Amino acid sequence: MEKVSVSLVTQDLVSMARLDNGWLLSIFLVIVPNTKGYLAQQGGPPPPTRLECCIPYEEDSGVMVRSPIQCVWDPGPPSKTPSIYTLHLESADNSVQKFNGNSTNACIPPTLWSSHSELTVWVEAKNQHGSAFSPRSTFNTAKIMKSATPNITQHTLAPLEIYWESKCSKQGLSEGECKVRHRVLPGVSWAEVEEGFQGVYCLEKVLPYSWYEFQVRCSCLGSSLSDWSKVYKVKSPGAAPVGMLDVWSDCQLSPQSAECALMWKTPPGWNAGSEILGYLVTLSHLNGMVTLVNVSMVDKASDQLTCDKKLCHPMAKDVTAVNVSAYTAYGATTPACLRIPLTAQYNRGEALQLSMSAERLLVSWNPPTGFINNQSKYVVQYKQAGLLKTPAQGFDWIRLDRTQINATLTGQFENYTAYQVALFLVSPYGASDHISSAVGYVHQGIPPKVPSFEVVKVKANSVKVIWTPILLPQRRGVIVCYQIGLDSQGVHNLSEHQGDKDRSFRLDDLEPSQNYEVWIRAITEAGPGPKSTATFKTEGFDFNPLFFLVIFFSFIPFLLIWKYSWVIKECIGFKKVPDPSNSHVFQKMNNQINFCIPVEEPDPVLSHLEIIKYKLAGGKIGHRGSQGAIGGLMDQGELAGEGNTASREDCYSKMTDSDEDRDDYEKHFLPTAMEIMCL
């Protein structure tokens, strides 16, 4: 038996359901090869789908020519083993002819069929494991004739209409209805209009100064739809531009640069309405001057900057506000205003969260606190960090509604390159307020060596080191910290901003007269970079004869001055006046009489005494001093008499201020007359 029906096979399989599974599988493998495609063999190709056939007509020198019957099918899921596809054609006389095809279609030559004839077709897929057949399809050739493809011939602009020519009459058929589809460039999706048109179609709501593409397909009465016609392009008429440009500047975060770059671009979905002839730029300066610049697109100025997919113009740092508008032959756009901060504003707001890939930058943030104008918008910008050139490489921005808290920017982002991302809040009047900034990387790498590392201020027990930080464009990653290491002290971790003023660090607790090696390196999330090293020797306390000689000879003058200070005093006329109360003479007298010092003279004054011996009447020796008061006493005879001579001489003997230098310093002094009177 060559053929087994599906019902018979199913009944046999059910009756064997109680048999051993292994035996059932062996029987199944024997029966399946005889099903001729109704059940797939193990490893064989899947059966193709039912065929769809048509007879297209083509025009050759104005005459319609029949084409071969074209049949198409779906081969099903792919097979690991390649298959050969054969189209089978069975005519009314039961004769079968075969035609080779590919995996999806095959053709029947027009010589093998006639008009209004009945045909049956199917396709066979065959490989080394077996064969599979598609279901059979039977049709009348008069019913599968395809209408000739129409041809769009002309159009009008006001309104925008297209006209086409149907070829049904050349096929000997009456005209039917047509379908139209169109799209505006740039675009990929077609807008299809349902059939119901004949020869003409009018497009409403046309965007000005835009390219449109049209296609038409028709069906003649008694035949199937034709293929789509060739694409017909039409450019809509121009109009006055509407809307505003998206204006921004690359100087918000570059206070070091001498210039800014004023940049603008068209917002998404914006239509200029006609060819843009140029841009009018109005610059307001700090001194009150206003400059009008015409950036022509016909004759480009030499000072116009070249920006990637954006238009830009150099702008001095004294500019406080700008207005930019685009103009065409039909009019100009509403000026877009932007106020330029005089200095960069760093309002420490919420931190930005960044996520970067090679082609995408995701930014998210928390909304800032405080009052925000309902018409304010966010601006998120990015550029390569650390570059003073304006506009910076890779500079771009996006404008968002104030209700958003995240943004997605596209671009070409490089590995190990720092990108500075900034968030601004822009008012309806163009004033910008910097909210926050962050630096991000696609992938981080280990940092390079610290470019400069030196040892300064070396002492016996400490040393100071200074270094130059790695510039942002060369860091290759976010620097977590700097590490400073010394032989005997281990490692010191310093934050990136520690020592920002002078980038210095002091190492203490060192030993005098010792050799040391100190190093520094930067660390990113990818790991530590190479070390920069420096060597030094601490100061010591070694004996230096020259140093001690200098110290010794420096003290000699002071010793001499101290030793001979009394000589110096004598030379300059300074005499020390002793205090009579310290004299031993007056101390003896104080034991015998009341010694007092008058209040009227708190500082007692002693008179110097010159003693002169002479003979008195009677042969006695007398003494007279140079002070008149004493002389008066001697005249009264209070001092006469030899018995009193010794005591008198003791009274007029030397008196000292102290007991220590009595022999060298004491001189002859006498009390004043006032002091004698108090005795």
Side-chain angles (χ1 to χ4, degrees):
M1 182 175 62
E2 296 182 356
K3 296 184 179 180
V4 178
S5 65
V6 176
S7 60
L8 177 59
V9 174
T10 305
Q11 182 178 1
D12 292 342
L13 293 177
V14 172
S15 64
M16 293 183 230
R18 294 184 178 87
L19 299 178
D20 182 74
N21 291 337
W23 181 80
L24 174 62
L25 180 60
S26 63
I27 296 298
F28 178 73
L29 294 177
V30 172
I31 295 177
V32 165
N34 296 323
T35 62
K36 288 194 175 181
Y38 291 100
L39 292 176
Q41 293 176 290
Q42 184 180 12
T49 60
R50 185 180 298 276
L51 279 66
E52 295 182 3
C53 300
C54 67
I55 306 173
Y57 271 79
E58 295 180 359
E59 186 175 2
D60 184 11
S61 300
V63 179
M64 298 304 298
V65 179
R66 291 193 307 174
S67 300
I69 297 177
Q70 295 182 357
C71 296
V72 296
W73 61 86
D74 184 359
S79 176
K80 296 182 179 179
T81 305
S83 301
I84 299 175
Y85 293 86
T86 305
L87 176 64
H88 296 252
L89 172 62
E90 184 178 3
S91 303
D93 58 357
N94 294 328
S95 62
V96 177
Q97 300 184 65
K98 299 180 181 180
F99 307 93
N100 294 328
N102 57 31
S103 60
T104 59
N105 61 83
C107 296
I108 302 175
T111 57
L112 300 179
W113 55 272
S114 60
S115 181
H116 298 82
S117 60
E118 295 286 336
L119 300 176
T120 301
V121 294
W122 68 92
V123 66
E124 176 189 12
K126 183 178 182 180
N127 61 19
Q128 61 182 1
H129 300 289
S131 300
F133 296 86
S134 69
R136 294 179 172 229
S137 297
T138 302
F139 52 82
N140 189 296
T141 56
K143 300 296 184 180
I144 65 170
M145 286 190 300
K146 197 171 189 176
S147 301
T149 304
N151 182 32
I152 301 176
T153 57
Q154 59 182 343
H155 71 276
T156 61
L157 294 177
L160 181 55
E161 291 182 338
I162 60 171
Y163 301 87
W164 64 87
E165 177 187 14
S166 174
K167 299 178 182 179
C168 293
S169 59
K170 295 183 179 181
Q171 291 182 256
L173 301 173
S174 300
E175 292 189 6
E177 295 182 343
C178 301
K179 289 184 177 183
V180 179
R181 67 181 183 181
H182 59 81
R183 64 182 177 183
V184 61
L185 298 179
V188 293
S189 60
W190 291 90
E192 188 169 330
V193 184
E194 293 296 329
E195 57 185 301
F197 304 97
Q198 289 184 340
V200 62
Y201 171 74
C202 179
L203 178 62
E204 300 177 356
K205 297 181 180 180
V206 179
L207 294 177
Y209 204 67
S210 301
W211 281 103
Y212 281 87
E213 291 183 341
F214 294 90
Q215 282 185 312
V216 180
R217 65 188 302 186
C218 300
S219 63
C220 302
L221 293 178
S223 62
S224 61
L225 275 171
S226 67
D227 293 330
W228 287 106
S229 65
K230 293 181 180 179
V231 174
Y232 188 85
K233 289 186 178 182
V234 179
K235 192 170 188 179
S236 61
V242 294
M244 292 190 301
L245 298 172
D246 188 359
V247 181
W248 197 241
S249 64
D250 183 18
C251 63
Q252 308 283 355
L253 299 179
S254 301
Q256 303 90 345
S257 60
E259 285 189 345
C260 299
L262 178 64
M263 311 177 73
W264 62 88
K265 59 184 178 181
T266 58
W270 183 76
N271 187 279
S274 181
E275 180 183 3
I276 297 178
L277 302 178
Y279 299 88
L280 293 177
V281 180
T282 304
L283 305 175
S284 300
H285 298 268
L286 185 61
N287 57 6
M289 294 182 59
V290 177
T291 305
L292 181 62
V293 180
N294 179 20
V295 182
S296 175
M297 300 305 295
V298 179
D299 182 17
K300 294 186 178 181
S302 59
D303 61 345
Q304 181 176 339
L305 297 177
T306 301
C307 306
D308 182 22
K309 299 181 181 180
K310 293 173 287 292
L311 295 170
C312 51
H313 191 273
M315 181 177 61
K317 253 317 182 47
D318 66 338
V319 173
T320 59
V322 298
N323 289 277
V324 184
S325 62
Y327 64 89
T328 68
Y330 298 90
T333 62
T334 303
C337 177
L338 178 66
R339 298 188 181 276
I340 309 298
L342 299 181
T343 57
Q345 302 178 18
Y346 287 87
N347 300 333
R348 298 298 183 183
E350 295 291 342
L352 300 181
Q353 289 81 42
L354 307 181
S355 176
M356 298 186 68
S357 64
E359 298 179 350
R360 191 178 301 271
L361 167 62
L362 302 179
V363 187
S364 59
W365 62 90
N366 293 325
T369 58
F371 174 76
I372 299 178
N373 191 299
N374 291 334
Q375 297 180 347
S376 297
K377 292 183 178 294
Y378 286 120
V379 170
V380 181
Q381 76 168 42
Y382 73 87
K383 63 180 179 179
Q384 287 192 19
L387 302 179
L388 298 181
K389 176 184 176 182
T390 54
Q393 187 174 353
F395 181 87
D396 200 0
W397 74 94
I398 187 173
R399 200 175 294 265
L400 305 167
D401 187 79
R402 71 175 184 87
T403 58
Q404 293 187 240
I405 57 173
N406 54 68
T408 301
L409 296 93
T410 58
Q412 300 297 323
F413 303 105
E414 302 176 1
N415 294 334
Y416 318 122
T417 301
Y419 289 90
Q420 187 177 41
V421 183
L423 175 66
F424 295 86
L425 188 64
V426 183
S427 71
Y429 312 104
S432 60
D433 188 16
H434 178 220
I435 302 300
S436 185
S437 295
V439 175
Y441 292 83
V442 178
H443 292 292
Q444 298 192 42
I446 61 173
K449 292 179 62 175
V450 175
S452 176
F453 183 54
E454 299 181 31
V455 176
V456 296
K457 295 184 179 180
V458 180
K459 297 182 179 180
N461 301 110
S462 66
V463 68
K464 182 180 180 181
V465 294
I466 59 174
W467 68 91
T468 302
I470 304 172
L471 297 179
L472 192 55
Q474 286 83 42
R475 291 182 180 178
R476 297 172 58 86
V478 177
I479 293 182
V480 178
C481 68
Y482 285 94
Q483 282 188 340
I484 295 180
L486 192 65
D487 299 338
S488 59
Q489 291 191 351
V491 177
H492 302 271
N493 293 324
L494 309 178
S495 67
E496 180 193 0
H497 302 289
Q498 186 170 347
D500 266 344
K501 294 183 179 180
D502 55 359
R503 294 291 185 178
S504 62
F505 185 74
R506 194 178 75 175
L507 299 167
D508 297 316
D509 302 327
L510 304 181
E511 296 293 332
S513 302
Q514 294 291 325
N515 293 317
Y516 290 96
E517 181 180 82
V518 62
W519 53 264
I520 188 173
R521 65 182 178 185
I523 298 179
T524 65
E525 293 183 0
K531 298 178 181 179
S532 296
T533 61
T535 58
F536 65 93
K537 183 178 181 180
T538 54
E539 295 180 351
F541 299 106
D542 296 338
F543 176 77
N544 192 338
L546 181 60
F547 174 77
F548 286 99
L549 287 176
V550 172
I551 297 298
F552 175 75
F553 285 109
S554 298
F555 277 97
I556 288 179
F558 296 100
L559 294 174
L560 294 176
I561 293 173
W562 175 77
K563 180 67 175 177
Y564 297 98
S565 60
W566 64 274
V567 177
I568 297 174
K569 292 179 181 179
E570 289 292 336
C571 292
I572 63 177
F574 175 79
K575 295 183 179 181
K576 182 177 180 181
V577 179
D579 187 353
S581 61
N582 294 329
S583 176
H584 71 283
V585 176
F586 287 99
Q587 290 176 358
K588 294 178 181 179
M589 295 174 62
N590 193 34
N591 296 329
Q592 300 176 3
I593 60 175
N594 293 326
F595 183 80
C596 67
I597 299 175
V599 177
E600 292 80 7
E601 194 173 7
D603 296 325
V605 178
L606 299 180
S607 299
H608 189 273
L609 176 64
E610 291 185 36
I611 300 176
I612 303 174
K613 293 182 180 183
Y614 60 93
K615 292 183 180 181
L616 298 175
K620 295 183 179 180
I621 298 175
H623 297 80
R624 183 175 62 185
S626 60
Q627 297 292 333
I630 300 301
L633 291 175
M634 291 186 297
D635 290 342
Q636 296 175 7
E638 293 179 6
L639 301 177
E642 292 181 359
N644 295 330
T645 300
S647 62
R648 292 192 189 105
E649 290 181 354
D650 289 338
C651 291
Y652 303 142
S653 123
K654 296 180 180 180
M655 296 176 291
T656 62
D657 287 337
S658 63
D659 295 335
E660 296 176 0
D661 300 323
R662 179 176 304 160
D663 296 334
D664 297 328
Y665 184 76
E666 189 176 55
K667 295 189 177 184
H668 292 79
F669 288 92
L670 284 177
T672 63
M674 184 69 68
E675 293 171 340
I676 296 297
M677 295 295 296
C678 295
L679 296 176

